């Protein structure tokens, strides 16, 4: 299991324990929102990033409404009080999600070794009111912490946010909802590669800050593994054998896409040291390669989606040619 | 084939370039990320230094595996850069 997106992992945990298929929820996560600061620094998290649409689709697919218990208009202290009260009264079928700074819990594995690491986890009370259980589906971690230490990790200026939902009634997603969700999340362009290109161009003349500007690229790049869930879902729904088919070849391409971002990061660091235009050109060639590769992946996915719709008897035929997708990708009819 | 760098030289380069203190002695089995606490960006910075100052390179296909590598695996994988 590969880490893809922490909030998605949290809300999918209850789906995985049900009869519903969690994989459609990963549609579009390959292009999930990230931030590019005014200094052209790439960031996997920013206060302005809204998860509203993502959680609306969760309701449409699985029938579960996700509520925000965190109120950004109130103080952090007030929100912590709300959380503590909720933890005392919550029912077992209710799930609590909170954003905390994982870097404040050094005993937790911090694979990216970032000094600040905003991250969504789930919390459960224990028999001891001073201890809370932390469930971190994204990193497949589960363990108990002193309540005060978790509260300290939440009480950081770099993090804010939290949700709750009742997962007792999970609806099986219907084909129409799955199709609509797929279409809503498919972008013709590739926002991450485009953003990396903007970062490179912005820092090209004075590249000393370029390595720091791309430091969080690996955290965002792994979202591309969401493509694997989509391929596996469509292949299975189409009755295609994953082992005997070209499924592994597409997984290899997805892994190549992720790994090539590491090559770009490496070249960017190299360019920041050499300032050699040949190294800059090398980066640009890799960016072109990324675009071509992701074009191939999206095109194949659209073809699979079209076959899926035909098999499911969808009356509205989809265009199978990726080139005909509108820029917004909101409608393929 | 014997590695291009021995443990002593490797540790010296890491300490100088990344401004960290290495736990001594290094036995080779330490994982670069989880045991030596070197994040992916610092590892890439180290690689670029090894290439530019020492002429040692890691092939692109192995870059993504770098954080999971042990010291031995990295040292065994480094190759002399070809001069065109």
């Amino acid at each position: 299991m590969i880490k893809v997106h922490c909030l998605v992992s949290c809300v999918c945990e209850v789906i995985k324990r049900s009869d519903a298929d969690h994989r459609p929820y990963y549609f579009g996560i390959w292009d999930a929102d990230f931030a590019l600061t005014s200094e052209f620094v790439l960031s996997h998290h920013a206060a302005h990033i809204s998860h509203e649409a993502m959680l609306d689709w969760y309701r449409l697919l699985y029938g579960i409404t996700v509520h925000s218990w965190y109120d950004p208009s109130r103080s952090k202290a007030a929100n912590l009080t709300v959380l503590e009260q909720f933890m005392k009264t919550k029912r077992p079928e209710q799930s609590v999600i909170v954003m905390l700074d994982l870097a404040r819990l050094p005993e937790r594995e911090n694979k990216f070794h970032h000094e600040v690491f905003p991250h969504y986890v789930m919390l459960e009370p224990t028999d001891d009111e001073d201890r809370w259980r932390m469930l971190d589906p994204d990193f497949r971690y589960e363990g108990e912490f002193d309540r005060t230490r978790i509260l300290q990790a939440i009480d950081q200026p770099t993090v804010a946010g939290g949700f709750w939902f009742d997962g007792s009634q999970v609806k099986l997603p219907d084909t129409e909802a799955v199709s609509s969700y797929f279409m809503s999340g498919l972008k013709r362009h590739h926002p991450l590669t485009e953003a990396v290109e903007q970062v490179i161009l912005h820092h090209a003349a004075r590249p000393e800050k370029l390595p720091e500007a791309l430091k969080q690229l690996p955290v965002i790049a792994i979202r591309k593994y969401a493509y694997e869930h989509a391929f596996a879902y469509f292949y299975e729904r189409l009755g295609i054998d994953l082992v005997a088919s070209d499924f592994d070849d597409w997984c290899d391409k997805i892994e190549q896409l992720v790994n090539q971002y590491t090559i770009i990061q490496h070249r960017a660091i190299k360019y920041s040291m050499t300032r050699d235009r040949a190294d800059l050109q090398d980066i640009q060639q890799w960016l072109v390669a990324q675009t071509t590769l992701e074009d191939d992946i999206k095109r194949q996915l659209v073809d699979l989606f079209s076959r899926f719709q035909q098999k499911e008897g969808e009356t509205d035929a989809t265009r199978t040619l990726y080139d005909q997708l509108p820029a917004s990708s909101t409608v393929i009819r | 084939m014997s590695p291009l760098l021995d443990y002593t030289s490797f540790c010296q380069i890491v300490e100088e370039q990344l401004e960290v203190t290495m736990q001594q002695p290094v036995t080779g089995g330490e994982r670069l990320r989880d045991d030596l606490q070197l994040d992916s960006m610092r590892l890439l910075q180290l690689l670029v230094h090894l290439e530019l100052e020492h002429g040692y390179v890691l092939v692109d296909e192995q870059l993504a595996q770098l954080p999971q590598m042990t010291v031995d695996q990295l040292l065994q994988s480094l190759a002399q850069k070809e001069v065109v």
Side-chain angles (χ1 to χ4, degrees):
Chain A
M1 184 64 188
I2 298 163
K3 173 186 158 48
V4 175
H5 190 292
C6 55
L7 181 58
V8 173
S9 296
C10 284
V11 295
C12 277
E13 194 61 12
V14 69
I15 308 299
K16 289 176 187 172
R17 292 199 298 265
S18 75
D19 293 331
D21 195 325
H22 69 283
R23 293 173 301 183
Y25 196 55
Y26 282 80
F27 293 170
I29 301 301
W30 46 77
D31 282 335
D33 288 344
F34 54 87
L36 192 58
T37 71
S38 54
E39 289 81 34
F40 283 79
V41 174
L42 211 53
S43 174
H44 81 283
H45 167 72
H48 68 265
I49 293 177
S50 167
H51 296 109
E52 197 174 334
M54 191 190 283
L55 297 176
D56 276 350
W57 278 111
Y58 185 70
R59 177 175 51 80
L60 292 167
L61 287 167
Y62 301 109
I64 299 173
T65 302
V66 179
H67 311 271
S68 179
W69 58 260
Y70 193 96
D71 182 351
S73 68
R74 301 182 70 193
S75 69
K76 181 61 74 67
N79 276 293
L80 290 177
T81 302
V82 170
L83 174 64
E84 288 201 82
Q85 190 59 35
F86 193 55
M87 289 295 284
K88 284 178 186 168
T89 58
K90 88 171 203 65
R91 298 191 302 273
E93 65 272 22
Q94 292 176 324
S95 295
V96 177
I97 299 172
V98 64
M99 186 195 291
L100 48 70
D101 182 358
L102 198 59
R104 297 285 163 174
L105 299 170
E107 61 270 62
R108 280 293 320 277
E109 188 180 21
N110 179 2
K111 286 186 176 173
F112 298 98
H113 293 285
H114 290 169
E115 289 161 10
V116 176
F117 194 81
H119 186 61
Y120 278 110
V121 298
M122 305 172 87
L123 297 177
E124 287 288 340
T126 67
D127 293 338
D128 180 350
E129 65 177 21
D130 291 328
R131 304 272 293 172
W132 282 349
R133 175 167 291 277
M134 180 190 294
L135 307 162
D136 185 350
D138 210 33
F139 284 115
R140 292 197 144 195
Y141 170 86
E142 190 173 334
E144 285 186 17
F145 283 82
D146 283 345
R147 177 176 53 86
T148 51
R149 296 211 49 235
I150 292 179
L151 291 173
Q152 283 166 4
I154 301 168
D155 191 14
Q156 300 298 321
T158 47
V159 295
F163 305 94
W164 74 272
F165 63 88
D166 183 329
S168 56
Q169 299 290 327
V170 179
K171 177 173 85 88
L172 297 181
D174 58 54
T175 301
E176 192 178 345
V178 168
S179 295
S180 299
Y181 181 50
F182 179 84
M183 288 188 282
S184 77
L186 191 75
K187 293 172 180 163
R188 179 182 182 176
H189 63 121
H190 313 306
L192 182 56
T193 299
E194 289 171 4
V196 171
E197 185 170 20
Q198 286 182 52
V199 171
I200 301 285
L201 290 174
H202 179 81
H203 293 277
R206 298 183 61 190
E208 61 270 16
K209 291 183 179 173
L210 185 54
E212 199 61 33
L214 292 178
K215 186 176 181 180
Q216 291 197 18
L217 178 56
V219 190
I220 308 169
I222 54 176
R223 294 175 181 173
K224 300 298 179 188
Y225 283 118
Y227 282 123
E228 282 191 17
H229 287 307
F231 272 86
Y233 177 77
F234 285 134
Y235 271 55
E236 285 184 13
R237 291 293 299 266
L238 290 167
I240 302 171
D241 189 315
L242 294 184
V243 177
S245 69
D246 60 354
F247 175 72
D248 280 347
D249 295 338
W250 285 104
C251 289
D252 288 345
K253 283 179 188 282
I254 294 159
E255 186 167 25
Q256 185 186 348
L257 183 71
V258 175
N259 290 347
Q260 284 180 178
Y261 282 117
T262 307
I263 296 176
I264 289 170
Q265 194 182 16
H266 172 262
R267 298 302 196 274
I269 292 169
K270 186 177 175 184
Y271 173 64
S272 75
M273 294 186 186
T274 64
R275 301 189 181 216
D276 184 338
R277 301 300 288 184
D279 290 329
L280 191 59
Q281 286 172 357
D282 190 22
I283 296 171
Q284 283 162 341
Q285 285 171 358
W286 279 110
L287 289 169
V288 171
Q290 286 297 78
T291 302
T292 305
L293 183 56
E294 197 160 12
D295 273 347
D296 286 349
I297 292 168
K298 282 185 178 172
R299 192 188 304 264
Q300 175 71 2
L301 211 47
V302 170
D303 284 344
L304 285 171
F305 173 63
S306 176
R307 289 163 63 186
F308 163 77
Q309 283 214 308
Q310 287 168 21
K311 183 171 185 286
E312 295 296 324
E314 288 280 300
T315 52
D316 295 311
T318 54
R319 295 178 187 165
T320 56
L321 292 177
Y322 178 75
D323 292 345
Q324 292 176 348
L325 285 171
S328 69
S329 298
T330 50
V331 178
I332 308 181
R333 302 181 198 286
Chain B
M1 201 170 74
S2 55
L4 296 167
L5 276 175
D6 58 35
Y7 295 149
T8 308
S9 306
F10 174 75
C11 290
Q12 194 179 346
I13 292 170
V14 170
E15 288 187 337
E16 283 176 9
Q17 291 304 312
L18 304 183
E19 297 176 351
V20 295
T21 305
M22 297 277 281
Q23 271 191 330
Q24 301 284 356
V26 165
T27 60
E30 298 86 352
R31 289 169 298 174
L32 297 172
R33 181 186 65 197
D34 294 342
D35 297 329
L36 301 185
Q37 308 291 307
L38 300 174
D39 65 41
S40 57
M41 193 171 93
R42 291 209 283 182
L43 287 168
L44 292 176
Q45 286 171 327
L46 176 67
L47 271 192
V48 172
H49 171 81
L50 288 171
E51 178 183 342
L52 298 178
E53 300 299 324
H54 303 272
Y56 303 151
V57 291
L58 187 69
V59 294
D60 285 344
E61 290 73 18
Q62 290 187 291
L63 280 183
Q65 282 76 52
L66 186 58
Q68 290 85 40
M69 282 185 181
T70 63
V71 172
D72 273 343
Q73 285 170 336
L74 171 61
L75 296 183
Q76 291 285 351
S77 302
L78 287 174
Q80 194 78 46
K81 186 178 181 180
E82 289 180 26
V83 179
V84 182

